[in-house]
Amino acid sequence: MTSRRRSKASSLGTVLPLLPGESITSWFVRLARVNAFSLHELASTLLGYSTHSVTGLDLDALPSTALPVALARGSDVPIEDVYLAGLASWQTLLSGEPSPGRRWILAPSRTPGKARKGRWTQACFACLADDGVPYFRLYWRFAFITECPVHRLPLHDVCPHCGNPLDFPQMDRGFPRPQRYWALSRCPQCCVDWRLFGQRTSRGDPRVGHLQRDLLKGLASRWVYHRTGAIWVGVMLDGLFRLLRCFRTGEGRKVAERLAGSSIRSPSGEPFERWSIEHRRALLRAVAAAWFDWPRTFVDAARREGLTATVLREKSPPPWWLERVVIDHLDRSWYAPSSDEAASAGEVLSRHGVSVTPWVLREWLGCYVPKPKLGGRQEIGAPQQLALWPRQNAARDDLRRAFVSRLVITLRRYCAGAKQRPGNTYAQLPLNPH
């Protein structure tokens, strides 16, 4: 059971400790209910001034430090633990980019009135059933988590009974005060206890679970370990995000469907963090299949579906562990000599008495040069090696004369048969006259 104690640092009657892995939103709602406060009453008590907007905010991703500091001061919990219970301290690890924003964080959609809405959190009902006091974990807010790493069951983002999102703080509004103090496992719409659905026998995808456990361990240790080497977790997640973006394109969707073994439908125009868990799970199944024996399965599927390096390099080069696979297996672009190579080649040609014109230099560098015209006459030189005729220019002249002769014969036969055709009837030109 969770211990309760009187707070000496604030006017809270009862203080609950922060549970392992608990999110700030879950802890804040539990504190409000145990002290018979509404959410805005608790926030006003902790901050020392009246605030009514806290009920519609995403407390886990709140950029301001005022509320976390007030929570730490009022509960005697170390400020470091309070910061780790929020998403702001994890955003730099969720991406290799300097300004990742809300990447990989489930984002609540907002109505015109700025109210929190949508599938902004998810839960494992078996975890809630095993808890002495049900609470929501912080890692359930990560968009790449769709299976429970403990019970290996699929997570849920809607109530199985009524189909509404798991917006547990909503119990603070519109319900009689006694019902506001129910456990966090109660649905705020139909009041059913989600712990009743914790014994379902459905199992999650083992490959997706394996990938998610690697990522969660990487967030704890900062490194993801693979047989190809160790990858910093931010760079790893940045590459996975690039794969997800590739799998949403026309070419990439075929590769994803081959990897996942099923059709994939992606909501057009919606960021991945706003997708339902069914759509996210389908796309993550393809990513997990590619990562399981990286890069063999991914390269095989990409080659079969004709995936090119351009799709993976959209807007910017991918991280090194993905770019290395692209260079070795998918890059079909022509080699482009550098300016230093061109200058070195020109110096060598000049030293051997060759006139270094732009076209001559391009030819020696292996670049494209325009071919001579068919009707052009050039001086006949020495026989060329590996040629069909001893002298190429002479063979070209013979082919031209044969072509002109055959053309004259065809035109004469066409004109000779003009009298036999009706007035406006079109005659077809014989291509192979005899």
Side-chain angles (χ1 to χ4, degrees):
M1 296 295 294
T2 304
S3 61
R4 303 181 182 182
R5 68 180 186 276
R6 296 286 180 177
S7 174
K8 298 180 181 179
S10 70
S11 57
L12 295 181
T14 305
V15 173
L16 301 176
L18 187 64
L19 298 176
E22 187 175 14
S23 66
I24 286 184
T25 302
S26 175
W27 185 37
F28 189 82
V29 174
R30 289 197 306 116
L31 283 173
R33 294 184 181 182
V34 79
N35 287 277
F37 281 163
S38 65
L39 297 184
H40 77 268
E41 288 174 347
L42 177 59
S44 301
T45 301
L46 291 173
L47 296 174
Y49 54 87
S50 178
T51 173
H52 294 273
S53 61
V54 69
T55 56
L57 296 177
D58 184 3
L59 300 182
D60 295 333
L62 199 62
S64 174
T65 60
L67 187 59
V69 171
L71 280 170
R73 186 184 302 114
S75 60
D76 294 334
V77 175
I79 186 61
E80 294 83 3
D81 295 342
V82 179
Y83 280 143
L84 290 177
L87 294 170
S89 58
W90 296 96
Q91 287 182 349
T92 55
L93 292 177
L94 295 177
S95 174
E97 297 183 356
S99 299
R102 292 183 62 96
R103 179 182 291 186
W104 294 118
I105 297 176
L106 294 180
S109 58
R110 292 187 175 275
T111 61
K114 301 297 183 181
R116 184 185 57 250
K117 186 180 179 182
R119 304 181 180 187
W120 61 274
T121 188
Q122 51 195 357
C124 172
F125 297 151
C127 288
L128 297 178
D130 292 344
D131 293 337
V133 176
Y135 68 97
F136 278 67
R137 279 69 170 169
L138 180 65
Y139 66 84
W140 288 345
R141 294 294 310 275
F142 296 150
F144 57 82
I145 300 295
T146 59
E147 323 291 324
C148 177
V150 179
H151 299 92
R152 299 184 180 182
L153 297 175
L155 299 183
H156 300 268
D157 60 353
V158 294
C159 175
H161 185 259
C162 65
N164 287 292
L166 309 182
D167 194 1
F168 59 92
Q170 193 177 357
M171 186 71 75
D172 181 72
R173 296 180 294 173
F175 283 86
R177 186 172 289 271
Q179 295 184 9
R180 299 180 189 177
Y181 312 135
W182 285 348
L184 271 61
S185 58
R186 289 272 191 166
C187 178
Q189 296 292 334
C190 63
C191 300
V192 69
D193 198 326
W194 295 320
R195 290 176 288 187
L196 299 175
F197 304 95
Q199 303 302 322
R200 296 293 178 90
T201 58
S202 60
R203 306 295 294 179
D205 191 306
R207 291 187 177 182
V208 176
H210 177 75
L211 173 63
Q212 293 176 167
R213 285 190 294 272
D214 286 348
L215 294 177
L216 290 176
K217 291 179 181 178
L219 289 175
S221 63
R222 305 299 188 266
W223 294 93
V224 176
Y225 296 95
H226 191 259
R227 61 181 179 82
T228 58
I231 308 174
W232 187 62
V233 63
V235 177
M236 173 70 183
L237 287 170
D238 192 19
L240 293 183
F241 191 84
R242 186 66 63 92
L243 277 180
L244 289 177
R245 189 168 61 186
C246 168
F247 288 164
R248 295 182 63 178
T249 63
E251 300 177 16
R253 185 179 292 108
K254 298 178 181 178
V255 179
E257 291 177 349
R258 177 178 291 273
L259 292 171
S262 59
S263 61
I264 294 178
R265 295 183 298 106
S266 59
S268 59
E270 285 288 334
F272 181 75
E273 293 79 9
R274 295 185 186 272
W275 289 13
S276 66
I277 195 170
E278 293 82 7
H279 290 143
R280 286 188 286 113
R281 183 180 289 116
L283 201 56
L284 285 171
R285 191 179 296 116
V287 175
W291 176 251
F292 187 74
D293 59 349
W294 180 264
R296 185 179 62 85
T297 303
F298 170 72
V299 171
D300 180 67
R303 286 177 173 175
R304 288 177 179 271
E305 299 298 339
L307 183 68
T308 60
T310 306
V311 182
L312 290 169
R313 289 171 174 170
E314 184 183 4
K315 296 182 180 180
S316 61
W320 62 268
W321 65 271
L322 183 57
E323 175 69 9
R324 183 173 60 187
V325 174
V326 172
I327 293 176
D328 294 342
H329 303 282
L330 302 179
D331 194 350
R332 302 186 183 93
S333 58
W334 291 95
Y335 172 72
S338 63
S339 57
D340 294 337
E341 292 175 323
S344 177
E347 182 181 353
V348 172
L349 292 175
S350 300
R351 191 163 55 247
H352 286 79
V354 178
S355 177
V356 185
T357 62
W359 292 113
V360 170
L361 185 59
R362 285 178 58 86
E363 185 177 4
W364 279 89
L365 289 174
C367 301
Y368 168 79
V369 292
K371 298 180 180 179
K373 296 181 180 180
L374 181 63
R377 295 181 176 274
Q378 298 181 1
E379 183 180 356
I380 300 177
Q384 299 182 9
Q385 189 179 8
L386 300 178
L388 295 178
W389 292 276
R391 302 186 185 280
Q392 293 294 317
N393 293 336
R396 189 181 299 111
D397 293 340
D398 294 339
L399 290 175
R400 185 171 57 252
R401 282 194 296 269
F403 174 76
V404 172
S405 177
R406 177 59 61 87
L407 181 62
V408 171
I409 295 174
T410 303
L411 289 175
R412 285 177 178 175
R413 290 182 178 180
Y414 175 78
C415 295
K419 296 181 180 181
Q420 303 177 3
R421 293 192 297 272
N424 295 327
T425 303
Y426 291 95
Q428 185 177 4
L429 180 65
L431 299 180
N432 297 314
H434 297 286

